[in-house]
Amino acid sequence: MEHMDALESYSSEDNLSLSGSDFEFQPKPTKRKLISSQGTTSPKRVYQPVRSSNEPQTAGNTRGLRRRDVQTDGHATAGGLYEAVRSGRSALPTVIDDWLDEYSRDKEAGLLELINFVIQCSGCKGVVTKEMLNTMQNADIIGHLTKEFNEDSVSYPLVSVGSDWRRFREGLCEFLSLLVRSCRNSLLYDDYLFSSLIALLTGLADSQVRAFRHTSTLIAMRLMSAIVVVAAEVNAQALMTKRRCDMEKIKRAEQRAIRREEELENSLKEVSEHQEDLRSLMNGIFKGVFVHRYRDRVPDIRAICMEEMGVWFRENPACFLNDEHLKYVGWMLHDKQAPVRLKCVLTLQKLYAEKDFIGRLELFTSRFKERIVCMILDKDSDVAVETVKLLLLIQQNTDDGLSEEECVGVYPLVFATHRGLACAAGHFLYHMLCSVLDEESGNRSNSFLVLLARFFIDSKYHEHAAYLVDSLWDVAGAELKNWEVMTSLLLQEGGVEEGMESALIDIMVCAMRQAAEATPPMTRSQKKNLTMREKKLQAQEMRRITNHFIPVLPQLLAKFSADVGKVSCLLRAPLYFHLDAYGSSSRLEKCLDLLLSQVCDIVLKHSEECVLEASVRVLCSLCCDSYTFSGRAERAISQLLDSTVEKCTTNLTTILQDSADEDDYYRAASSLNILAVFSSASDMTGRNLFEFCSQLMKFEIESGELDKKLMVPALKCAVFHLFWKGTKITQQHQTDKAELKRLLNSLHSFCIVCQSCLSVGQNDIRNQAFVCLCDVLMVFGSLSEGEGSPLQCYSPDESLTAEMASFLIDYLFTDSDDELIDEMNISGLMQKRNQLAGYCKLIIYGVLELRAATDVLKYYNKYYREFGDIIKETLSKSKTISSVESARTVCLCLQQLFSGLDQDRRDEELTEIRFLAKKLAMNFSINQRLIRKPLLALHQDGIRFACKGLEQGNPMNLGFLTILCEFSFKLLQPERKQLLEYLRRVCADVVKSKFVRMYERSLTSGSRETPVAPSSPGTPERKRRRTQSQCLISSPENPAVTSQARRHDTDDEFTEGTFQVRTVTHSRPQSSPSAPSIQSHLSTLSLIDEDHSDDEPVIEDYDDDEDSETGIILPSTRDSGSYLEDLFE
């Protein structure tokens, strides 16, 4: 029942009653009554913005306080205290001692100085005088001070930036802690100083002025924390005194000291009174400030409350670490602002880290653990990181820990792109894996690696071992760099299960990369330079990797040479060696010969592209001229290529003679695959592969039976031959025109072959031909503007351009059933995106005419999800080439769509065209002056198209004017008039047509501005702006901004105290025959923004930002974090 009663305290956030708690507020009668006991109302709502005090009111050092405390006119200042805290150059203990000396001589003057110090810390220019202190209530004083704020600034010390204010908050908190510490034996219990100060802070914390609320809440919470520390000491002192008193009472009569017993009883009574005084002060702050401000509209204030409450929990757990107070932290875990949630999580971390507190947190854990688990997917990365750390503490220190289902939600975060979150999840995963291990087992590293490989297999991200390794690198680096254990597990029979060998090899190679490069994966890369120590450790690890793997790698390749996935992964290992070590000794040169032999055997054995690319990468890296053994590697590669070329030419000759069997085709395809991969990495033009490939492709096309295993590598060999030839020509001091002419002839014949392949039935051949065409045209195509390299002199003919456009329409922008299955795979979509980007680059760089973009723009709306970013970037780049031609291209695109309307589905398709036009119109700049000429050209072309056939009495294109209406809202008034005159001149015979009238309305709407309601001469400027904006938004033409304007006139749910909101009622202006112009719309938005910026600092609306949880971004399958930039690089 006790737990059930405690659980009910969590049920509702509105139940804030503290009756019956240890801190029920029972104030003692004092000279200055607390505001909370008076029941005074809050100050009136103030509309003046606040201003910080950038300069102290009085200058001088801290030793001159006594001369500045009370002036002759009765005004007290706190310049010395404020300047000492603001500058941070004075010794605060000395400043406090001087103030205490003055307070001991004149209590009222000392209190007045402290009060003015608080006011000055709030950024207020006002001063509390002795007369005000004696004759006015706190609410009246605060209302008077509110008028002293300067309207020109919205800043105050706590939120000011700059070197002068950098340490202000820290200095203020230190001052308050030292003040309470210095008063812990006397002034803390005098029923005057701190009671009066807390009464003022309670009133300021209830103010409508943010500066007052923020500053007073910080001061009150820091005072509370300092008092809690003193209360804990007093409680310990009372417990010890009571124990000594009890021990004295149980002594025999002859051993009992009467005087000693009386002294202990008097001391216990005094300590009990101190406890009561401290309890009264803490209760006053808790009920007067915390209970109201922990849900303030300002996130910083809520965060302060949560942070300081964590101090109370730790310093005095006996009084505060209970369900009655923990519920506030639990409630604020749902706060909409990330900084508040972060403070709550950090507070809970410090509680769960102490095992002595776990028993007091059982009910809280059962009630809020579900919410904490959900926060691992928080939108704010810092909150998610700290939440994962909190869950690890809960798992380690609580009896129940986390369930398996709750742990499963944390594991996938090791693959997150945010490195901090991934590392926190890696710590969690490491702890869970270690808890499974048998601690008495001597083979702990072996068991850990096997468990890690099993976890990697069970996860869904088998292509992202690098992310898993990086997540565990900080906590499990020793296990991941234990190369001896990893290779022994792979080499020994029965070391690991057969299914886990691939996972372990992938993890091992990724760990090698991490150790050798000392950088996280690409999307987690942090741009920072390595320190000298990190570079030294990196070099040491590379030496360890080199020394261990040079003799072991051939053994691994020999064992796994038949497995495609394993061998392609192992072939990445030499890239992380110090390769010059191969030439350091004869023993290592033998290892080099063995490696070269095995890699060449792998090349001949496999035909998979991934294995061939990995093998060629290793062989080419060994051929670097800086190595002493490079000649040996070159001889091995030359022998391999010679035998491969010989086999290829023999088999191709047999095929061209039409006397080949299946084995000849297979051997020719294998040889071409090898040569194609080598051609991409090294210059093979001397082997004259282009002629054989060209003959083979022409033979295949003429026969009509295309073999993709032959055609795809043949296309690759041919295109790389052209690129290497072009590279040689550009490297010459003087261009060889004869050589260039032969290259262009070869290019022309290659383009004809590729053009023939664009319409074949095999996807692989068709796609490879299109990619090759885009690449060669990008390198050799002539530019429309500017001078390119000598190679850029080839102009594609119209038939080739039309064939490429047809490829896009037929195979890229299609939902045909035969490709539906392929499109379910993300790689299929990425291939199409690459093809579209290649075509768009030809347009952007001027190889193709700008109007070729019409075939792409047509599908902007329909395929926006798949290709929207590429098409939008193409449209944006086309504007930099020619804004007028870009606009005409948009119009031409719409004209083509309109001309192709299906009469049976005319209305439906016309609606789709209008949606496309609306989307394209939004891509024009919001700066109307920059788009005047492009828009005018677009409308003129559209009108001419719509008027075609009118002379013959055929108005079939007039409906295009309805599409043209979507671009009218961006026109300026002069262009509107010009287009109206042009329209009435060319459409004089059909001026009464509904399409013409609709287009005329789109040109005339918004031509007149809505009149602004006059305001009274005495209305202040800011309120006059608000009145005008409300007049503007009250018109029926602008319903979209009404909610934004009304938002500032609604009471906030976190506002403490009541205040009246003045509402301005306006009569609805008479509607004009024309809608307001775009300038009227912009003026409306401008006025609303001004009103918001002026009023916000005084009475801020609660930020209703949906800063809630969303899914964590997992690593992309792409190699680049900014894929679109790579496409257009």
Side-chain angles (χ1 to χ4, degrees), residues 25-239:
F25 190 30
Q26 296 176 353
K28 293 184 178 182
T30 61
K31 193 171 182 179
R32 297 281 303 169
K33 294 184 179 181
L34 296 174
I35 288 183
S36 58
S37 63
Q38 290 285 338
T40 56
T41 59
S42 302
K44 290 184 178 181
R45 186 174 184 179
V46 182
Y47 286 93
Q48 290 85 359
V50 298
R51 180 187 181 184
S52 64
S53 175
N54 294 327
E55 296 295 334
Q57 293 183 358
T58 58
N61 56 37
T62 59
R63 289 294 182 183
L65 291 176
R66 298 183 181 88
R67 293 191 298 273
R68 292 190 300 272
D69 285 343
V70 181
Q71 306 294 339
T72 56
D73 59 353
H75 288 73
T77 66
L81 293 178
Y82 177 74
E83 178 61 25
V85 171
R86 189 188 71 82
S87 64
R89 292 188 293 268
S90 304
L92 291 181
T94 305
V95 175
I96 293 174
D97 289 341
D98 289 345
W99 179 82
L100 290 174
D101 292 342
E102 182 62 31
Y103 181 81
S104 62
R105 284 189 290 272
D106 188 346
K107 289 187 176 182
E108 190 170 351
L111 174 63
L112 199 59
E113 182 178 4
L114 191 59
I115 289 175
N116 281 306
F117 166 71
V118 173
I119 299 303
Q120 198 167 1
C121 287
S122 301
C124 180
K125 287 288 189 180
V127 176
V128 179
T129 63
K130 187 181 296 185
E131 181 182 358
M132 294 168 61
L133 189 66
N134 292 329
T135 60
M136 299 173 64
Q137 291 292 331
N138 284 338
D140 299 329
I141 293 175
I142 295 171
H144 174 76
L145 292 173
T146 302
K147 302 176 183 178
E148 299 296 330
F149 277 104
N150 195 308
E151 296 187 11
D152 297 334
S153 175
V154 295
S155 181
Y156 52 95
L158 280 184
V159 298
S160 297
V161 294
S163 57
D164 294 340
W165 305 104
R166 190 172 301 159
R167 295 188 68 256
F168 177 78
R169 177 169 179 160
E170 181 182 347
L172 178 60
C173 295
E174 182 183 357
F175 172 83
L176 296 171
S177 300
L178 291 174
L179 176 63
V180 174
R181 194 73 181 167
S182 301
C183 301
R184 68 184 183 278
N185 295 324
S186 56
L187 298 181
L188 202 56
Y189 317 106
D190 69 349
D191 292 336
Y192 176 69
L193 174 63
F194 284 93
S195 298
S196 302
L197 181 60
I198 292 172
L200 177 68
L201 293 174
T202 304
L204 290 173
D206 199 39
S207 171
Q208 297 298 324
V209 181
R210 173 175 175 169
F212 276 155
R213 255 187 4 264
H214 192 177
T215 308
S216 60
T217 301
L218 175 62
I219 294 175
M221 294 298 100
R222 291 299 296 185
L223 282 177
M224 178 77 165
S225 298
I227 293 173
V228 166
V229 174
V230 176
E233 297 174 356
V234 173
N235 292 341
Q237 182 183 358
L239 186 61

Side-chain angles (χ1 to χ4, degrees), residues 938-973:
L938 183 147
H939 278 271
Q940 288 175 343
D941 286 358
I943 294 173
R944 281 193 289 267
F945 175 78
C947 295
K948 279 185 179 180
L950 290 182
E951 296 179 357
Q952 292 80 20
N954 185 10
M956 59 179 301
N957 290 342
L958 272 182
F960 186 77
L961 294 176
T962 61
I963 300 173
L964 211 56
C965 293
E966 303 296 339
F967 298 90
S968 300
F969 73 99
K970 285 184 175 286
L971 288 169
L972 291 179
Q973 194 60 29

Side-chain angles (χ1 to χ4, degrees), residues 458-524:
D458 294 339
S459 67
K460 301 178 182 179
Y461 307 102
H462 299 161
E463 298 178 359
H464 302 292
Y467 289 86
L468 176 62
V469 169
D470 182 57
S471 301
L472 293 167
W473 194 251
D474 296 336
V475 65
E479 290 87 346
L480 292 173
K481 290 185 287 188
N482 197 337
W483 316 119
E484 294 80 6
V485 173
M486 289 186 180
T487 52
S488 64
L489 284 173
L490 291 171
L491 290 174
Q492 69 183 6
E493 294 297 332
V496 291
E497 300 174 7
E498 184 176 356
M500 286 193 292
E501 289 176 344
S502 298
L504 187 57
I505 290 174
D506 203 357
I507 292 172
M508 180 184 70
V509 175
C510 290
M512 292 172 64
R513 187 209 65 82
Q514 185 92 1
E517 298 180 357
T519 55
M522 185 174 296
T523 54
R524 288 185 188 171

Side-chain angles (χ1 to χ4, degrees), residues 192 269 271 399 589 683 742 778 850 863 865 869 993 1033 1085 1097 1111 1121:
Y192 176 69
K269 182 179 180 181
V271 172
D399 296 334
E589 287 181 353
D683 183 7
R742 285 194 294 270
M778 193 68 211
L850 197 58
Y863 292 91
R865 187 180 64 177
D869 54 342
S993 169
I1033 63 175
L1085 294 175

